[in-house]
Amino acid sequence: MAFPSREFGDQEYEDDAAISAFAGKKNFPGILMKLGNILGDQAPEVWKFFKAETGAPDPTWNFKGKFLVSKNGSVSVPTKLEKDIEALMKEEVVEE
């Protein structure tokens, strides 16, 4: 998921259509959320959930806020992104 925001030096495009077009050109494979805020109380509920689950602070710059969600639903903050993703891809699903 990507959470576009203009909170970091207004570096993001100004509207969802332009953001979507750019993401399409870059072959972004994930879910693109609507342009909005990710800092403080105005953040989307899913972003607030990720932060609450991990204890992560608000990001200080764009592309700094990263979360990984396991196949079993646990949320983590990556320390070595590629290695952490590879480990999650190998993870077995636990049936409850």
Side-chain angles (χ1 to χ4, degrees):
M1 300 172 91
F3 294 82
S5 174
R6 293 186 51 82
E7 295 171 297
F8 305 100
D10 287 333
Q11 291 189 352
E12 189 61 79
Y13 288 99
E14 293 184 12
D15 61 59
D16 290 321
I19 293 166
S20 181
F22 177 78
K25 288 179 191 174
K26 298 296 183 179
N27 296 316
F28 176 69
I31 297 168
L32 187 59
M33 305 301 282
K34 290 186 175 205
L35 179 63
N37 296 327
I38 60 167
L39 301 176
D41 292 338
Q42 295 180 354
E45 291 303 314
V46 67
W47 184 269
K48 291 178 189 177
F49 173 76
F50 292 160
K51 283 183 53 187
E53 287 291 301
T54 62
D58 281 331
T60 56
W61 198 246
N62 56 342
F63 300 109
K64 293 280 184 178
K66 293 180 178 66
F67 300 100
L68 296 176
V69 181
S70 75
K71 292 176 185 175
N72 295 303
S74 64
V75 182
S76 63
V77 175
T79 54
K80 296 183 178 178
L81 188 59
E82 288 185 26
K83 183 178 176 183
D84 293 348
I85 290 171
E86 288 174 5
L88 288 178
M89 291 175 65
K90 294 176 185 174
E91 181 181 70
E92 296 292 326
V93 176
V94 176
E95 301 282 333
E96 290 186 25

